[in-house]
Amino acid sequence: MLKIINGEVYDPANNINGEVRDICIEERRVVASVSGGRTIDASGMVIMPGGVDMHCHIAGPKVNIARKMRLEDNRLDPVPRTPLTRSGAGKTVPSTFTTGYRYAAMGYTSAFDAAVPPLAARHAHEEFMDTPVVDKGFFVLMGNNEFIMQQIAAGEREKLRHYVAWLLQAVKGYAVKLVNPGGVELWKSGGNAHGLDDEVTGFGVTPRQIIQSLAEASMELHLPHAVHIHCNNLGVAGNWETTLETMKALEGRNGHLAHIQFHSYGGKPGGLFTSRVPELAEYVNTHPNITVDIGQVMFGDTTSMTGDGPLEYMLHQISGRKWINVDIENEEGCGIVPVEYKDKNHVHTTQWAIGLEWFMLMQDPWRIALSTDHPNGASFIAYPQIIRLLMDREYRREKLKTVNLKAIGKTTLPDHDREYSLFEIAVITRAAPARILGLKNKGHLGIGADADVTIYDKHDDKEQMFACPRYVIKEGAVLVEDGHIRQETFGRTLYVSPRYDPAIEKDIRDFFDKYYTVEFENYPVQLEHYLPRPQEIATVP
Ligand SMILES: [Zn+2]
């Protein structure tokens, strides 16, 4: 039992904006009252629910290849063991244990890997088992899946829906993810999709059909999170038109557009980027079916990793840095390239400004989530600095003087005076991502919520405040105190179990017999071996 008294509580989901109130915890949950147990006096401190990172890359083969590929990244940042915690390494692609500890030390208690190919689900679950503290889940790549494209082409809507449900069950995933729909399949023979109506050769479907069909299936299955979309043409000048077309293609269906910063570029392909945030933000502001996370770029060295193989090849050609590309049979692909964002570089400054423009121009903070698309835009450990940029306009103005002035002058960023309040920060880092993900017990501190709580000392320097919480509590256990990890726990894995018609299994089995190197029986993840502490999120069929 635990009671936190005298703290200023920011709990937007329950409309609590800085009121002093007690938080009581019993048996891992927030309760109305407790008697006995430990009391934490949070006088003069700020209390928020634990942070929720709704889009990051922390597990699975792509992340692990990046760890092997970027030994220089490991060498720069060794993490020694302590009597309580394991050793690790990695500046931009930390090892599993270091990932968990660093999220915890920053007050984040949940994190979702945004792109796991179904065939690699076991690997992702194994790494989750080794990632301490945070609750986690992953989104399942489906935008280039051959079985799915065949069903779409044949107009088999029911079969498609049952297969999506079967696949989520089989791999114990949380949501449907699209990455460059159709484009990754075309890339396997050297092509790419450049527009929503390009045909995926050999399948007779288009990116538009893939987006619409999987948005529809996600809604029909009542999945807690809408289809999660990485649009076509990521990182290409002029891609804002594809992004706007994708939003329109949803035709009112719910959809989440990932790392929207990387999809908001004007200009001509091959040329300099300009910002088209005002037009896109206007569309999102007026269309409540759409949510976004930002994918903020921060200056410095990082690692780009994505299921979007052709994008990584493009990055490799531009930068000349080392490159890995992997195709995954019948399903997806991925690529990895180290990147360095430079503050005097025209394109990089424009990318940095575009992310911040999104924060400035989104009127409804409930439909926007803070992300760096870790580690694509920057490591997740940059979140406190981004929070300072949002909360402190003087700091932001000073930063504006240090970047490429020509580039910044072509964006609206210098015109904005907006400063985020603590309440709004609690929305975009906790309450909104939890709501967008459909996590009923996370992102808030009402009765029955998971007792994931972060307590900060107040500080004028918001970066310092958010980088070093005073206490971090996970499911009622005080894990971090005065900046040190005091005990280690292992979070849960969250997944969905939508129902499906078992008759679909015959078709899937036939497909496996013909095209997979894996036997149908060996494909589903065994719960008892791979999810020692699972938590199922019920979905209503
Ligand atoms: Zn991503």
Side-chain angles (χ1 to χ4, degrees):
M1 278 178 294
L2 180 66
K3 192 170 184 177
I4 307 160
I5 59 169
N6 299 329
E8 270 178 37
V9 178
Y10 292 85
D11 180 8
N14 293 299
N15 220 358
I16 296 168
N17 184 7
E19 291 159 39
V20 173
R21 41 168 85 200
D22 298 346
I23 303 288
C24 299
I25 294 167
E26 190 172 8
E27 303 257 324
R28 298 181 173 160
R29 302 221 172 258
V30 177
V31 294
S33 64
V34 285
S35 54
R38 181 178 176 186
T39 299
I40 290 175
D41 185 352
S43 297
M45 298 179 206
V46 162
I47 300 176
M48 292 187 182
V52 178
D53 194 344
M54 71 169 293
H55 188 116
C56 57
H57 300 274
I58 55 170
K62 152 170 61 65
V63 178
N64 215 36
I65 293 167
R67 290 186 185 117
K68 287 188 271 189
M69 177 181 176
R70 296 224 60 197
L71 292 176
E72 73 279 17
D73 183 85
N74 290 339
R75 218 177 284 130
L76 283 171
D77 191 15
V79 181
R81 71 187 283 264
T82 72
L84 265 178
T85 57
R86 294 260 296 258
S87 62
K91 196 161 171 278
T92 68
V93 202
S95 55
T96 50
F97 280 85
T98 301
T99 298
Y101 300 143
R102 286 193 173 156
Y103 268 119
M106 208 174 60
Y108 270 66
T109 50
S110 306
F112 284 75
D113 189 285
V116 171
L119 255 174
R122 271 192 183 74
H123 186 152
H125 284 301
E126 283 183 337
E127 292 199 341
F128 277 175
M129 277 193 269
D130 264 1
T131 305
V133 183
V134 287
D135 286 339
K136 50 249 159 188
F138 61 72
F139 309 149
V140 183
L141 290 167
M142 299 197 196
N144 295 277
N145 181 301
E146 295 189 9
F147 190 88
I148 285 178
M149 289 190 288
Q150 286 181 1
Q151 304 319 311
I152 295 171
E156 294 275 8
R157 274 183 51 176
E158 296 269 298
K159 253 188 203 173
L160 171 69
R161 191 175 75 235
H162 292 309
Y163 175 78
V164 169
W166 174 84
L167 191 57
L168 285 166
Q169 285 254 11
V171 304
K172 302 289 175 277
Y174 190 80
V176 176
K177 173 74 184 294
L178 308 184
V179 169
N180 186 2
V184 177
E185 169 58 32
L186 287 166
W187 173 241
K188 288 176 182 175
S189 44
N192 196 1
H194 301 288
L196 290 200
D197 298 310
D198 285 11
E199 189 177 315
V200 185
T201 317
F203 289 90
V205 296
T206 63
R208 182 186 304 278
Q209 290 173 309
I210 298 170
I211 293 162
Q212 292 178 337
S213 305
L214 287 165
E216 191 97 2
S218 294
M219 288 181 76
E220 286 173 352
L221 290 167
H222 299 277
L223 299 179
H225 183 41
V227 64
H228 195 108
I229 308 170
H230 157 146
C231 299
N232 304 99
N233 286 330
L234 186 149
V236 178
N239 67 6
W240 80 282
E241 290 183 42
T242 309
T243 308
L244 187 62
E245 275 302 301
T246 304
M247 293 176 183
K248 288 180 178 167
L250 286 168
E251 294 173 350
R253 300 177 190 93
N254 296 334
H256 178 86
L257 272 73
H259 36 67
I260 191 76
Q261 176 278 126
F262 287 114
H263 303 275
S264 306
Y265 307 147
K268 294 239 171 347
L272 285 177
F273 293 179
T274 58
S275 163
R276 300 306 286 259
V277 181
E279 291 93 334
L280 291 174
E282 165 68 18
Y283 191 88
V284 178
N285 278 326
T286 51
H287 290 78
N289 60 311
I290 298 170
T291 57
V292 299
D293 67 87
I294 298 303
Q296 178 67 39
V297 154
M298 297 294 274
F299 300 115
D301 179 66
T302 192
T303 306
S304 172
M305 59 171 75
T306 165
D308 195 341
L311 158 71
E312 295 296 1
Y313 179 63
M314 183 182 83
L315 276 180
H316 155 72
Q317 284 188 309
I318 292 169
S319 68
R321 305 282 298 263
K322 55 187 172 182
W323 167 63
I324 287 177
N325 196 199
V326 178
D327 292 341
I328 295 160
E329 62 182 54
N330 306 318
E331 296 182 350
E332 304 289 338
C334 75
I336 300 146
V337 179
V339 287
E340 188 185 356
Y341 296 107
K342 297 178 179 149
D343 58 6
K344 295 293 187 278
N345 178 294
H346 192 287
V347 169
H348 299 164
T349 290
T350 307
Q351 291 179 297
W352 177 80
I354 283 174
L356 294 171
E357 279 185 293
W358 268 102
F359 285 110
M360 295 295 117
L361 286 165
M362 268 300 285
Q363 284 156 7
D364 177 6
W366 285 94
R367 288 193 289 121
I368 183 172
L370 171 63
S371 75
T372 53
D373 187 15
H374 163 86
N376 286 294
S379 162
F380 63 79
I381 57 172
Y383 291 169
Q385 200 190 348
I386 298 170
I387 290 172
R388 186 173 179 199
L389 285 166
L390 300 179
M391 294 192 75
D392 182 345
R393 70 175 153 241
E394 287 311 315
Y395 174 67
R396 201 163 66 224
R397 281 191 188 129
E398 287 306 309
K399 278 278 164 200
L400 285 179
K401 293 177 189 161
T402 68
V403 299
N404 184 306
L405 297 179
K406 218 169 158 186
I408 207 74
K410 290 184 188 159
T411 73
T412 67
L413 189 59
D415 309 337
H416 297 290
D417 279 337
R418 183 170 176 182
E419 281 184 332
Y420 272 61
S421 63
L422 283 171
F423 186 84
E424 287 175 309
I425 293 296
V427 174
I428 64 168
T429 58
R430 286 118 161 112
R435 185 176 284 182
I436 293 168
L437 288 168
L439 296 165
K440 291 198 172 58
N441 296 327
K442 296 201 177 291
H444 75 99
L445 295 171
I447 307 294
D450 290 350
D452 301 347
V453 189
T454 307
I455 307 177
Y456 300 100
D457 282 315
K458 277 195 188 169
H459 211 293
D460 287 339
D461 180 340
K462 297 298 186 282
E463 181 177 350
Q464 199 173 328
M465 173 174 165
F466 281 91
C468 297
R470 185 75 172 272
Y471 300 95
V472 180
I473 295 156
K474 178 75 178 41
E475 292 180 90
V478 181
L479 301 188
V480 175
E481 208 167 332
D482 300 326
H484 295 287
I485 295 194
R486 302 287 186 196
Q487 55 171 306
E488 182 179 66
T489 61
F490 283 82
R492 295 161 187 276
T493 296
L494 310 175
Y495 65 94
V496 296
S497 294
R499 267 189 245 159
Y500 61 90
D501 178 358
I504 187 78
E505 289 184 1
K506 191 194 166 298
D507 287 358
I508 305 171
R509 185 184 293 272
D510 289 348
F511 189 80
F512 270 70
D513 286 347
K514 273 193 199 137
Y515 303 115
Y516 269 87
T517 59
V518 179
E519 293 284 335
F520 176 76
E521 280 78 10
N522 293 335
Y523 191 79
V525 170
Q526 300 95 325
L527 211 54
E528 62 282 12
H529 292 151
Y530 291 93
L531 289 90
R533 288 191 66 212
Q535 181 171 297
E536 197 174 309
I537 304 292
T539 46
V540 188

